Amino acid sequence: MAYDIFNSSCPSRHVFDRLGERWTGLVLLALGPGTQRFSELRRQVQGITQKMLTQTLRGLERDGIVERRAYPTVPVTVEYSLTPLGRSLCDAVAVLRTWAYEHIDEIEAANAKYTRP
């Protein structure tokens, strides 16, 4: 089957939907260097709520992008890491981060010009 992202029934749209979520890219980049606990992720991704981090991680786990490991401690220790599929997606998101770093001055200048009366 040939995929067509412009076709509303194309399953590849799910990837764009997931990437379009506010926190997905940041969580991927945070997990890029390696495994982290929930609290570590929450500290690193400033501004994300516990609820949103939980939802984001569950969605990424469901898609096979993140692996969740729970250890039988009191309280339970839970760690998250990227799967090989997740690592390849993180690499793609890292390219976008680099692009943003390289062009943020131009974007901010365009925004300032646009909003000037």
Side-chain angles (χ1 to χ4, degrees):
M1 173 187 171
Y3 295 108
D4 178 6
I5 197 77
F6 298 109
N7 183 320
S8 64
S9 63
C10 182
S12 64
R13 278 204 179 182
H14 177 76
V15 176
F16 274 71
D17 289 344
R18 177 71 63 214
L19 285 174
E21 292 175 358
R22 180 176 183 181
W23 300 106
T24 296
L26 296 174
V27 169
L28 288 170
L29 291 170
L31 286 171
T35 301
Q36 290 195 44
R37 293 177 61 182
F38 185 92
S39 57
E40 294 170 322
L41 281 170
R42 186 151 179 235
R43 273 192 302 276
Q44 187 171 356
V45 183
Q46 296 178 15
I48 193 169
T49 64
Q50 181 174 337
K51 177 183 175 183
M52 287 310 304
L53 181 54
T54 299
Q55 287 178 359
T56 301
L57 288 166
R58 282 184 183 157
L60 291 170
E61 183 182 9
R62 184 175 33 254
D63 290 342
I65 294 168
V66 166
E67 180 180 31
R68 178 184 186 271
R69 285 191 202 111
Y71 298 94
T73 57
V74 179
V76 175
T77 301
V78 180
E79 294 180 336
Y80 296 90
S81 58
L82 295 174
T83 64
L85 181 65
R87 182 143 312 283
S88 69
L89 181 57
C90 182
D91 290 345
V93 173
V95 170
L96 292 173
R97 174 181 54 188
T98 300
W99 184 91
Y101 287 169
E102 291 172 355
H103 298 282
I104 192 61
D105 292 336
E106 295 167 72
I107 292 169
E108 287 180 339
N111 275 288
K113 183 179 176 182
Y114 183 82
T115 58
R116 239 182 273 141

